């Protein structure tokens, strides 16, 4: 009986985490019963569960599109969901399959990388770095060669399409390179990864 009546003191930090109780400076400590605490905690778990279930449904939808053989559409769907966690998940998958990459995929992925580089999550930044490094190392020379020799004269649809894709990639890489300089002073492995990307992309601006 005493266990049910016991009161648990909530500090300012815990109150912020719960999002239910706020403490003001120089005011008496507020308390919440064990029952209230458990209800609040359960509500938080439900929110996490709902988010994970929604993410799983979205990933299953992306997988369904991909299973039909249309990787580019699957990427567009995943990125179009505007959920960075899903973008990171699919980028990690396609990074392990270099043979499926082409310029078209680069034009789809690069705008998403630009968004990821503004993420507050370190893992997102690492994935953005590794993906951009793959693009620059695999397609950088092709992109620069096409930028240095734009199509002229006789109509060559294939060459013109390739040039357009290279131009889009060049612009995106240049924009990302300028924007990520704000991370250049980061410490540890992330800082090293950022500085490596900046160095690799120097010739794009």
């Amino acid at each position: 009986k005493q266990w049910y009546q016991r009161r648990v003191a909530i500090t300012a930090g815990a109150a912020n985490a719960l999002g239910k109780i706020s403490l003001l400076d120089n005011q008496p400590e507020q308390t919440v019963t064990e029952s209230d605490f458990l209800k609040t905690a359960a509500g938080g778990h439900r929110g996490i569960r709902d988010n994970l279930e929604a993410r799983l449904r979205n990933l299953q939808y992306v997988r369904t599109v991909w299973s039909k053989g249309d990787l580019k559409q699957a990427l567009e769907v995943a990125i179009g969901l505007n959920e960075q966690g899903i973008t990171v998940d699919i980028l990690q998958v396609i990074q392990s399959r270099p043979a499926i990459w082409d310029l078209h995929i680069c034009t789809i992925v690069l705008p998403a990388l630009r968004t990821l580089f503004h993420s507050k999550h370190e893992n997102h930044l690492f994935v953005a770095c590794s993906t951009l490094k793959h693009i620059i190392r695999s397609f950088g020379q092709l992109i620069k060669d096409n930028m240095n020799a734009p199509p002229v004269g006789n109509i060559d649809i294939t060459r013109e399409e390739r040039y357009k894709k290279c131009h889009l990639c060049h612009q995106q890489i240049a924009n990302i390179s300028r924007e990520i300089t704000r991370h250049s002073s980061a410490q540890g492995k992330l800082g090293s990864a950022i500085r490596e990307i900046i160095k690799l992309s120097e010739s794009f601006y």
Side-chain angles (χ1 to χ4, degrees):
K1 185 175 181 179
Q2 290 180 348
W3 186 86
Y4 289 105
Q5 293 176 342
R6 186 170 70 251
R7 291 178 176 270
V8 180
I10 303 299
T11 64
N16 288 334
L18 293 174
K20 295 292 184 179
I21 304 170
S22 61
L23 298 179
L24 301 176
D25 293 338
N26 302 320
Q27 286 194 358
E29 188 180 60
Q30 296 186 30
T31 60
V32 62
T33 65
E34 186 87 18
S35 176
D36 289 339
F37 180 86
L38 293 174
K39 286 180 181 178
T40 302
H45 286 306
R46 279 195 296 272
I48 294 172
R49 182 198 62 197
D50 291 345
N51 288 335
L52 289 174
E53 288 178 348
R55 182 172 175 179
L56 178 60
R57 286 194 298 272
N58 286 333
L59 284 171
Q60 288 172 334
Y61 176 53
V62 172
R63 183 178 180 276
T64 298
V65 176
W66 193 343
S67 67
K68 295 177 180 178
D70 196 337
L71 170 60
K72 295 177 179 64
Q73 185 180 355
L75 278 170
E76 290 172 343
V77 168
I79 293 170
L81 292 170
N82 200 30
E83 185 178 332
Q84 291 186 353
I86 291 179
T87 300
V88 167
D89 286 339
I90 197 167
L91 287 178
Q92 288 177 311
V93 172
I94 65 174
Q95 275 189 62
S96 64
R97 303 182 184 185
I100 66 178
W101 284 78
D102 59 23
L103 282 172
H104 191 171
I105 288 179
C106 292
T107 62
I108 297 172
V109 168
L110 281 166
L113 294 185
R114 191 174 179 184
T115 300
L116 279 183
F117 274 113
H118 291 277
S119 174
K120 296 180 181 179
H121 299 288
E122 189 171 276
N123 179 56
H124 293 183
L125 294 173
F126 271 118
V127 172
C129 282
S130 60
T131 306
L132 183 55
K133 182 166 67 174
H134 169 74
I135 290 173
I136 293 174
R137 287 182 171 174
S138 301
F139 300 95
Q141 194 58 53
L142 174 63
I143 292 169
K144 287 184 285 187
D145 288 347
N146 275 269
M147 294 305 297
N148 292 331
V152 293
N154 295 333
I155 296 176
D156 185 335
I157 301 299
T158 300
R159 187 179 179 188
E160 289 180 357
E161 286 298 319
R162 183 170 61 247
Y163 176 79
K164 288 178 182 178
K165 292 172 184 176
C166 287
H167 186 261
L168 286 173
C169 290
H170 189 277
Q171 283 185 320
Q172 288 292 337
I173 293 172
N175 289 335
I176 291 171
S177 300
R178 282 189 289 265
E179 292 174 3
I180 64 175
T181 54
R182 63 193 180 93
H183 292 300
S184 61
S185 60
Q187 301 299 311
K189 293 181 179 180
L190 178 60
S192 297
I194 292 288
R195 288 186 287 274
E196 182 183 9
I197 291 298
I198 292 173
K199 187 171 181 61
L200 283 172
S201 58
E202 282 177 348
S203 60
F204 285 85
Y205 60 94

